[in-house]
């Protein structure tokens, strides 16, 4: 396994300014796999200076040339998918199949945005009185601070680096301290693809708060793109306000999964397995509460519990395992406590529900029935392999229940009636709706949340717009 352990600043790898380090552990075994540089606030400011120094050159690089570099990075990622997947498995704990699919998904953002780099347009308008012309161009915003979580160490990074570089921005990436190795590897890969020094910098300050605050106060920084919890997102929005930074925020979710009585139950169970268990439940898009019509409730719960029970729990390094570990024992304990609380509130454990003996941050696939709307387990993001199922009758409105949260990232709906599905999708207060599907993420689609799940979109044509600023040039013909 190829490991990079230094901060990556201005194209050079270096230890921390004060010699401090962060330990990276394999959550499936508890073993330490690397010690990497813990960047100081000064190191982070140097990274911002490097990005500011590289900005004029990168912004002036022809779009086609920037596109070719991103295309090269895509091709390297495809070629090196096994190495990338191995890093993801070791530092994050997810299973091999999930890591490989993340590596492929992550690579697609470089391909997609290599194609978008050459499609940035503008506008030419005639003023209403006819004597003026209005020219609108889109220009790179400038130095961008990118902050990513631990649950998708490759994809969350490429989903930001891809559009930023395509737009002509330069970046400082701050990955989560739990999973920095994939990001540091990507920095090397981008260098080999031809990204000039300073265009991409990677720093891992731990703890992050003071160093990130220092970066956001640097006058060269114009953009913050953050993926993580709503709680931290709120803090960063306040800090970004001091410099009036443009902010893109991909925050937490609390996704409802509604199964109507006219749904294909077998398809709904297959969709539930993906919506709940992709990434072992540690996804912002993970189905968090299942509202199932009474008429199909028992059929759904039995089949779902059987499918969950068939998963094999163990380290992701063994490709036979289908459910890996959580990212840390602390995260595992939070998930276990949610299940204990659900049982106290009257839930029945249909499968799972007990921490297995032995090392590693493992928790089994768990289905809970007898949960009521409003019970604690379904009121906020679980971020683990636990599925609370809530039955609804003809007198209940599952869409109102689905909307009864301050979050609104994604919703899942299963129904045999397309018109009903669209009507329900239009009522759901979320940025995305998966209709008779267990997954919606797609580099070609605008990913993002409504309400307190975020601001802005990633992927698609919308993704590059987050890193572009409109400039209006006034022309007088008279
Ligand atoms: P987190 O908010 O704890 O951390 C996210 C990032 O912010 C990490 O890099 C972390 O080091 C950094 N950070 C934490 N506190 C900070 C502070 N005070 N100042 C500056 N930086 C700080 O989230 P997490 O636990 O790593 O990830 C899980 C969360 O991310 C979940 O809520 C999940 O829903 C969300 N998420 C959202 C999306 C999306 O696209 N909407 C995708 C993946 C994950």
């Amino acid at each position: 396994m190829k490991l990079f352990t230094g901060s990556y600043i201005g194209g050079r790898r270096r230890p921390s300014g004060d010699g401090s380090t962060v330990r990276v552990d394999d959550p499936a075994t508890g073993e330490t796999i690397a010690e990497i540089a813990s960047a100081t606030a000064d190191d982070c400011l140097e990274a911002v200076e490097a990005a500011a120094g590289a900005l004029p050159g990168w912004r002036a690089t022809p779009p086609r040339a920037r596109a070719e570099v991103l295309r090269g990075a895509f091709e390297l990622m495809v070629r090196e998918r096994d190495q990338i997947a191995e890093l993801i498995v070791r530092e994050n704990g997810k299973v091999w199949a999930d890591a490989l699919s993340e590596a492929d998904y992550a690579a697609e953002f470089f391909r997609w945005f290599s194609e978008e780099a050459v499609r940035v347009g503008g506008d030419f308008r005639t003023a209403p009185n006819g004597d003026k012309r209005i020219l609108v161009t889109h220009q790179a915003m400038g130095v961008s601070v990118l902050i990513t979580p631990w649950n998708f160490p490759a994809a969350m990074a490429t989903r930001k680096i891809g559009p930023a570089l395509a737009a002509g921005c330069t970046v400082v990436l701050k990955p989560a301290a739990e999973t920095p190795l994939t990001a540091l590897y990507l920095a090397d890969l981008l260098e080999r693809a031809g990204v000039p020094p300073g265009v991409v910098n990677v720093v891992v300050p731990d703890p992050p708060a003071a160093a990130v605050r220092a970066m956001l106060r640097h006058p060269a920084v114009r953009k913050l793109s953050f993926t993580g919890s709503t709680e931290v997102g709120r803090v960063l929005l306040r800090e970004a306000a001091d410099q009036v930074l443009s902010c893109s925020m991909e925050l937490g979710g609390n996704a409802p999964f509604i199964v109507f009585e006219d749904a294909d139950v077998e398809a709904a169970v297959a969709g539930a397995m993906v919506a709940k268990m992709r990434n072992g439940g540690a996804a912002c898009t993970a189905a968090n509460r299942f509202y199932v019509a009474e008429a199909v409730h028992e059929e759904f719960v039995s089949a779902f519990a059987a499918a969950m029970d068939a998963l094999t729990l163990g380290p992701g390094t063994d490709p036979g395992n289908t459910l890996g570990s959580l990212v840390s024992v602390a995260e595992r304990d939070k998930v276990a406590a949610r299940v204990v609380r659900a049982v106290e509130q009257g839930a029945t454990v249909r499968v799972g529900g007990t921490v297995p003996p032995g090392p590693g941050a493992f928790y089994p696939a768990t289905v809970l029935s007898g949960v009521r709307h409003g019970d604690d387990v379904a009121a906020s993001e679980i971020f683990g392999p636990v599925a609370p199922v809530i039955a609804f009758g003809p007198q209940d409105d599952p869409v109102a229940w689905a909307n009864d949260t301050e979050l609104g990232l994604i919703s899942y709906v299963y129904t045999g009636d397309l018109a009903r599905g669209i009507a329900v999708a239009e009522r759901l207060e979320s940025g995305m709706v998966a209709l008779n599907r267990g997954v919606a993420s797609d580099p070609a689609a605008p990913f993002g949340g409504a309400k307190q799940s975020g601001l802005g979109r990633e992927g698609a044509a919308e993704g590059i717009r987050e890193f572009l600023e409109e400039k209006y040039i006034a022309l007088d013909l008279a």
Side-chain angles (χ1 to χ4, degrees):
M1 196 164 58
K2 202 164 167 192
L3 296 179
F4 296 95
T5 57
S7 302
Y8 183 68
I9 301 172
R12 290 189 304 121
R13 278 163 207 83
R14 4 176 299 202
S16 161
D18 65 3
S20 57
T21 56
V22 192
R23 245 183 37 210
V24 184
D25 296 335
D26 179 341
T29 61
E31 286 163 19
T32 298
I33 41 179
E35 286 214 18
I36 65 147
S38 171
T40 62
D42 283 345
D43 296 338
C44 293
L45 290 175
E46 268 187 56
V48 170
E49 299 284 349
L55 181 64
W58 186 247
R59 191 157 50 186
T61 301
R64 176 70 76 202
R66 292 200 300 264
E68 298 293 350
V69 168
L70 283 172
R71 174 77 199 193
F74 161 71
E75 279 160 16
L76 284 174
M77 282 192 81
V78 170
R79 213 172 306 147
E80 297 171 22
R81 71 196 280 263
D82 284 348
Q83 284 101 299
I84 295 166
E86 188 180 3
L87 284 169
I88 296 172
V89 166
R90 293 297 302 282
E91 65 179 354
N92 171 275
K94 69 180 70 177
V95 287
W96 183 248
D98 276 348
L100 272 184
S101 92
E102 182 186 343
D104 294 343
Y105 175 55
E108 283 301 330
F109 286 104
F110 285 161
R111 172 153 69 173
W112 176 267
F113 286 107
S114 77
E115 292 158 352
E116 287 300 299
V118 292
R119 312 253 180 272
V120 175
D123 203 0
F124 182 86
R125 305 171 199 173
T126 303
N129 66 4
D131 65 348
K132 289 194 280 299
R133 298 293 178 267
I134 296 162
L135 219 68
V136 182
T137 65
H138 298 273
Q139 297 188 328
M141 267 182 187
V143 174
S144 304
V145 172
L146 316 177
I147 303 179
T148 52
W150 47 258
N151 63 339
F152 289 98
M156 297 302 98
T158 60
R159 200 164 76 171
K160 296 184 188 303
I161 296 171
L165 265 51
C169 294
T170 57
V171 307
V172 179
L173 170 67
K174 194 218 85 62
E178 292 87 342
T179 57
L181 300 173
T182 307
L184 291 165
Y185 185 93
L186 286 177
D188 175 73
L189 182 144
L190 285 160
E191 183 182 310
R192 285 184 279 126
V195 171
V199 171
V200 173
N201 305 275
V202 183
V203 288
V204 191
D206 186 43
V212 169
R213 196 176 308 122
M215 286 198 283
L216 299 184
R217 284 186 184 159
H218 192 293
V221 172
R222 291 310 319 143
K223 172 86 200 176
L224 167 63
S225 178
F226 172 78
T227 297
S229 61
T230 297
E231 190 189 354
V232 173
R234 278 194 205 101
V235 170
L236 295 179
L237 277 169
R238 276 186 216 113
E239 288 178 359
D242 285 342
Q243 300 285 342
V244 194
L245 296 185
S246 161
C247 292
S248 301
M249 294 271 150
E250 296 288 350
L251 307 177
N254 179 5
F257 188 108
I258 306 175
V259 183
F260 286 103
E261 73 291 341
D262 59 1
D264 174 341
V265 174
E266 204 181 311
V269 170
M273 289 302 292
V274 182
K276 177 75 251 181
M277 298 307 289
R278 183 165 152 264
N279 225 37
C284 52
T285 50
N288 206 55
R289 34 197 183 121
F290 292 79
Y291 297 115
V292 182
E294 274 165 6
V296 293
H297 175 264
E298 202 38 52
E299 184 189 353
F300 176 85
V301 171
S302 315
F304 191 21
M308 292 282 264
D309 202 28
L311 297 176
T312 46
L313 185 62
T317 43
D318 176 347
N321 290 326
T322 45
L323 177 58
S325 82
L326 281 102
V327 75
S328 64
V329 169
E331 280 294 313
R332 191 269 315 274
D333 290 347
K334 277 195 230 163
V335 172
R338 301 288 294 266
V339 174
V340 169
R341 176 73 185 134
V343 172
E344 279 169 13
Q345 289 193 308
T348 303
V349 177
R350 303 290 288 252
V351 64
T354 319
V355 175
F362 292 101
Y363 196 81
T366 300
V367 176
L368 303 171
S369 64
V371 178
R372 287 153 312 166
H373 173 68
D375 283 357
D376 293 348
V377 68
S380 60
E381 197 171 37
I382 300 168
F383 235 62
V386 176
V389 184
I390 299 159
F392 70 85
Q395 71 288 355
D396 299 314
D397 181 357
V399 182
W401 286 351
N403 289 338
D404 183 22
T405 164
E406 76 266 16
L407 301 176
L409 187 63
I410 185 167
S411 311
Y412 301 86
V413 180
Y414 272 78
T415 171
D417 177 348
L418 186 59
R420 176 190 214 175
I422 290 173
V424 166
E426 288 179 357
R427 271 184 71 202
L428 284 164
E429 296 167 356
S430 59
M432 301 176 282
V433 178
L435 192 48
N436 293 328
R437 296 192 48 149
V439 64
S441 306
D442 185 330
F447 185 105
K451 293 157 86 174
Q452 294 188 32
S453 283
L455 298 170
R457 294 294 180 266
E458 289 190 325
E462 287 84 348
I464 194 168
R465 293 296 293 270
E466 303 281 323
F467 291 93
L468 292 167
E469 196 158 44
E470 277 161 0
K471 179 179 285 175
Y472 146 52
I473 301 168
L475 285 178
D476 215 340
L477 292 193

